[in-house]
Amino acid sequence: MDVVYFAWVRERIGVPREEVETKAATVADLVAELVAREERYAAAFADLSALRVALDQELSDFDAPLAGVREVAFFPPMTGG
Amino acid sequence: MDVVYFAWVRERIGVPREEVETKAATVADLVAELVAREERYAAAFADLSALRVALDQELSDFDAPLAGVREVAFFPPMTGG
Amino acid sequence: MQVRVQEAGFDLGAESDAFAAGVAGSGAIVTFTGVVRDADAGGLVAMEIEHYPAMTEKALEAIAIEAKARWSLEDALVIHRYGRLAPGERIMMVATAARHRKDAFEAAEFLMDYLKSRAPFWKKEILTDGGADWVAAKPEDEDALTRW
Amino acid sequence: MQVRVQEAGFDLGAESDAFAAGVAGSGAIVTFTGVVRDADAGGLVAMEIEHYPAMTEKALEAIAIEAKARWSLEDALVIHRYGRLAPGERIMMVATAARHRKDAFEAAEFLMDYLKSRAPFWKKEILTDGGADWVAAKPEDEDALTRW
């Protein structure tokens, strides 16, 4: 599964994109796996209320299932306009 | 006193501007004098709720006194923009 | 703050650029442009706009001053034409500039609501069938003022 | 309906003219332009705008389609830049055209509210003191969505 990061999430994790081998059932499960892996993930995911997630380029939420998803994106609230 | 007319008020009365000799105390008194004068004024002033008045280029109302006023304007509701 | 009442046309792009160039401190610029569209029943030859010259600029300036007093604006522009206009011609424009978008949008809407009902212009539609109709003020235009 | 995501600058006047030329049936045209203004604390060198290319046009089109479904629009335009922008540079613009001003204004505000909080852009302020700050989303920007 491709996982992509933007803005300060990208900066904390240190890469814009990576391939992750996972059997996580939901976004929250995937986050838990990443957080357990290394401190930089724990730093990025410390406050989920400050984060947004998109599945295959559609906004979603942390309870959403990952079945069939090819790209997960994590980022802070958007600041367009 | 100068009296000026715009839009269909001007068309009904037939002149854009005229000088009127009057001792009318209020706008309503002036209207009554004009209406008594000729049919074209009666046609123009038939429905005062469809008219607006400005005294010396400031929007006013039919109860307003005319003391010191130099120019009275009658017109339908404005349609700017 | 700039108010212009003129018979000549204006160049929307050039006016927008000039206005934007003068408001370096603003994050938000809103423009509104009013265009002569075909009459609701179709068959419009021209729109004739009459105004009350002695009152027009004074009224527009009062409206623009009120907008600047009520919102945090760096600048505001009002251009309004009079005379005979063909369908598709631009009648008027307003522009507002503020630090934040809310001020710029609200002030532009306020200017438009007041121009509609408080600026001494009257529009007459000249129709292809030889008729001509004075455009009636809409009750909702008068109602729109109550929100400010 | 036109949506453009680009690194290059755009010409506000030319875009306004081109948009207006394409909407002959509309009586009302609204534009909003967002400009890089100095940071609230002063000392801004540049604004860096990051985006999520695979998602951006899709998100902007969804927002514009929603606007056309909710208001009676003849056309709508969204241009949004990314990359490094200096103070005074234009970040983005929207334009809307409708028969009546209410639709044009509301749709433009709707587009802006949704672009602020639902289009995948992130802004970073590069400061003269060598620091850099990600611009935080404002609670009022999220709240603004609830009115639609």
Side-chain angles (χ1 to χ4, degrees), chain A residues 81, chain C residues 26-29, chain D residues 10 32-36 89-93 112:
Chain C
S26 291
I29 298 167
Chain D
F10 61 89
F32 177 93
T33 308
V35 181
V36 180
E89 280 194 73
R90 284 144 203 177
I91 303 169
M92 49 74 61
M93 76 176 282
M112 286 309 305

Side-chain angles (χ1 to χ4, degrees), chain B residues 4-11 16-17 52 54-59 71-81, chain C residues 34 50-55 58 80 91-92 112 115-124 134-137 142:
Chain B
V4 296
Y5 309 106
F6 294 96
W8 57 256
V9 182
R10 171 180 55 71
E11 290 180 340
R17 166 183 294 269
R52 300 290 179 269
L55 302 182
D56 290 336
Q57 301 90 45
E58 298 273 356
L59 275 178
E71 184 173 280
V72 180
F74 293 106
F75 42 77
M78 297 164 267
T79 54
Chain C
E50 179 171 341
H51 77 127
Y52 182 2
M55 182 173 171
K58 194 151 75 166
H80 204 304
I91 303 170
M92 49 75 61
M112 287 309 306
L115 287 176
K116 281 272 168 193
S117 303
R118 292 291 182 271
F121 294 94
W122 298 274
K123 296 193 184 110
K124 189 179 198 174
W134 288 100
V135 174
E142 189 67 31

Side-chain angles (χ1 to χ4, degrees), chain A residues 44-60:
Chain A
F45 290 108
D47 177 9
L48 291 191
S49 75
L51 291 182
R52 300 290 178 269
V53 59
L55 303 182
D56 290 336
Q57 300 92 45
E58 298 275 356
L59 275 179
S60 187

